[in-house]
Amino acid sequence: MDVDKILEQAKKDLVMGTNTSTDDAAPSMDFLFAKVSPSILDPVGEYPCFLVDYCLKHYLEESKKTGGVTKDVIFHSMVIKRIMTIIQDFSYSLKPETQHLIIEYVFQSWDFSADVVCHEAVDIFSMLLSNHSLQCADCKMKKGCVWTDSLVMQILQGESECRSKYKCFLILLRTHSTYTKLMDELLLGKLYSLIGSPTLSAVICDILSFDLVETPHRWHTHVNLTLSCLSSESREVQNAVRDRLLPKLVRIKLLKEEFLPLLIDEMKGKSLQFQCLYSLLCVTRFLIISHTKCDSYEFWNDYVPYDAMRYAVLHRDVQVRLAAWMLLCEHPQRTHAFSINDLQLIQVFVKTNMLEQTPAIRQKIIAGFRQVLCRVAETSEQILKGKSGNAEQVEDYNDFIRYVE
């Protein structure tokens, strides 16, 4: 069979493949999903590279004609991603016009209703950037070029506010260090305003944590915006910052040791405000629990003023009281002795919360009290063995136990 007949048969098979699922794809599609050799990039007939110049372009064009039929869109997405993977594996450099078609496809599909299409659009975008850097000297040095500059502008100025858009923006930030300069106060303010969105929260936190690591000179801007979010009227924004962003920052050594103490210092000045007080207690707990080395243990009074802790223990909001209670009870060093202030605050909490009726809250109170008793027992044993502390602490513990009996 001559080349023209082979090519003609391939065209027919590919057209059939656009209307099938992956399970019953035309036989000609098998070569995409099996182990391939470099010969797959060889010229065929009028096409210098049949895989790219016909197959890839064919599916990019077909993707515009599906009319939003989910199974077709998913199939096209899968095939295009597979072709891009093969191209990347063999470091085949794409022509500028092909790159342009792929970018159009990514922008067209990144907010599709099926999540798999959105995820694959991001993967395709990432592979395209890698492919572009094969020929672009500036991109190899992570400086960015005219082409990537235009991509950034299209992303930032685009009307879509989908998750994949911000994932693509994060990829550009990570692969081209020069684009961190675009993260001005206006853009940061927009990102913080979107952090409460359930679909965007995770990727926004990734972008913000990346910017914090890369640009310490913007930390004060981040502190102000974080405090602004914690004072927001939107509970979704407050929760996203407190429950997602701040715990993420604790896991990054630089931010845990330098940025979060800076944030806590600002929180202390506003600690009587409900959200700042609650966040201060939560962040302090994250920081204390994250320390695993004996010589670096820290305690709640390293971050929270005594007056603020006393206010929290008696706060009218049960979540604030519980946050203070957990901070008093939990510590990675089980043999760390309670101070007089600790014991007094624990007594106050126990006395004022004994009538709590909510089962979930009662469980947390009881669990915390068990930890208190365990620490009292272990530290008392250490003192009596002469390994730490003094006999007066045992007397304090005896008074405490008699009080709670």
Side-chain angles (χ1 to χ4, degrees):
M1 186 180 292
D2 59 26
V3 171
D4 291 337
K5 289 184 178 179
I6 294 174
L7 186 56
E8 190 62 28
Q9 184 61 44
K11 290 179 181 179
K12 291 179 181 179
D13 290 342
L14 286 168
V15 172
M16 289 174 59
T18 61
N19 296 315
T20 62
S21 66
T22 55
D23 295 332
D24 57 355
S28 63
M29 291 295 97
D30 291 347
F31 75 94
L32 289 177
F33 302 98
K35 186 176 180 180
V36 295
S37 66
S39 62
I40 199 170
L41 298 170
D42 290 346
V44 175
E46 63 184 279
Y47 300 100
C49 176
F50 182 66
L51 179 67
V52 174
D53 297 316
Y54 180 76
C55 297
L56 178 59
K57 289 184 179 179
H58 173 84
Y59 276 98
L60 290 172
E61 289 299 323
E62 285 295 315
S63 67
K64 300 176 183 179
K65 306 174 185 177
T66 58
V69 179
T70 301
K71 69 172 185 176
D72 291 342
V73 175
I74 293 175
F75 179 73
H76 292 153
S77 172
M78 180 188 64
V79 173
I80 292 170
K81 179 182 175 181
R82 176 57 183 160
I83 293 174
M84 289 297 296
T85 302
I86 295 171
I87 291 169
Q88 184 180 41
D89 289 344
F90 293 111
S91 300
Y92 182 88
S93 183
L94 294 172
K95 299 175 183 177
E97 56 268 25
T98 307
Q99 294 177 11
H100 178 72
L101 291 174
I102 296 171
I103 284 297
E104 283 188 341
Y105 170 76
V106 170
F107 290 170
Q108 161 195 319
S109 60
W110 66 7
D111 60 352
F112 190 70
S113 57
D115 285 345
V116 64
V117 176
C118 302
H119 293 314
E120 290 182 342
V122 175
D123 293 337
I124 292 168
F125 181 83
S126 178
M127 287 188 281
L128 180 60
L129 289 182
S130 298
N131 187 274
H132 176 77
S133 66
L134 293 175
Q135 289 186 326
C136 180
D138 288 335
C139 289
K140 283 182 181 178
M141 299 176 66
K142 297 188 175 183
K143 292 182 178 180
C145 63
V146 175
W147 183 74
T148 54
D149 288 347
S150 68
L151 286 184
V152 173
M153 290 300 103
Q154 289 180 72
I155 290 174
L156 293 180
Q157 295 173 5
E159 295 181 359
S160 173
E161 293 295 343
C162 65
R163 176 174 51 198
S164 297
K165 165 185 172 176
Y166 288 100
K167 285 186 176 181
C168 290
F169 180 56
L170 179 59
I171 291 170
L172 277 167
L173 289 176
R174 286 174 171 167
T175 55
H176 299 79
S177 56
T178 54
Y179 294 131
T180 55
K181 64 185 179 184
L182 298 175
M183 298 283 285
D184 56 15
E185 189 169 349
L186 184 63
L187 179 55
L188 286 174
K190 178 182 178 181
L191 293 174
Y192 274 96
S193 70
L194 295 171
I195 201 170
S197 167
T199 56
L200 298 179
S201 182
V203 66
I204 295 297
C205 289
D206 288 339
I207 294 173
L208 295 176
S209 61
F210 175 82
D211 188 66
L212 281 163
V213 171
E214 294 295 316
T215 56
H217 64 274
R218 282 202 285 264
W219 281 3
H220 284 286
T221 300
H222 280 278
V223 167
N224 293 334
L225 290 170
T226 300
L227 293 176
S228 176
C229 287
L230 292 174
S231 303
S232 169
E233 295 180 358
S234 168
R235 186 169 292 275
E236 289 77 14
V237 171
Q238 297 170 6
N239 292 341
V241 171
R242 185 176 57 249
D243 300 336
R244 189 184 290 272
L245 177 61
L246 296 180
K248 184 178 185 65
L249 302 186
V250 171
R251 296 193 290 269
I252 302 172
K253 188 174 186 295
L254 172 67
L255 303 183
K256 181 178 76 171
E257 295 179 353
E258 298 185 31
F259 173 74
L260 286 177
L262 180 66
L263 177 63
I264 286 176
D265 286 341
E266 292 295 324
M267 285 181 175
K268 288 178 182 178
K270 303 180 180 182
S271 60
L272 297 186
Q273 296 179 14
F274 165 67
Q275 291 299 338
C276 278
L277 176 59
Y278 185 34
S279 300
L280 174 62
L281 298 172
C282 293
V283 174
T284 299
R285 179 168 171 264
F286 295 148
L287 289 172
I288 291 174
I289 292 176
S290 67
H291 284 279
T292 56
K293 296 182 179 179
C294 296
D295 58 350
S296 64
Y297 283 139
E298 294 177 322
F299 311 100
W300 66 262
N301 49 9
D302 291 326
Y303 299 104
V304 183
Y306 176 76
D307 289 343
M309 179 62 91
R310 183 176 57 188
Y311 180 71
V313 167
L314 294 170
H315 200 278
R316 61 186 176 84
D317 189 281
V318 67
Q319 295 301 325
V320 176
R321 297 201 304 273
L322 275 180
W325 174 242
M326 295 171 72
L327 197 53
L328 287 168
C329 300
E330 297 179 0
H331 196 275
Q333 185 183 15
R334 292 172 61 87
T335 56
H336 172 62
F338 287 108
S339 67
I340 291 294
N341 286 340
D342 291 335
L343 295 175
Q344 289 176 346
L345 291 171
I346 290 171
Q347 289 175 5
V348 169
F349 181 88
V350 171
K351 184 176 181 179
T352 55
N353 289 272
M354 287 298 290
L355 299 180
E356 178 60 52
Q357 298 299 312
T358 307
I361 295 175
R362 287 180 64 87
Q363 287 293 327
K364 290 182 179 180
I365 294 173
I366 293 170
F369 193 67
R370 286 198 190 100
Q371 290 180 303
V372 170
L373 295 179
C374 288
R375 280 180 60 185
V376 167
E378 292 192 23
T379 53
S380 297
E381 184 178 357
Q382 293 290 316
I383 293 170
L384 293 174
K385 288 181 178 179
K387 294 183 178 180
S388 64
N390 54 63
E392 291 181 1
Q393 285 182 311
V394 177
E395 289 298 323
D396 293 335
Y397 286 163
N398 287 335
D399 293 340
F400 171 74
I401 295 298
R402 282 194 291 269
Y403 174 83
V404 298
E405 282 181 343

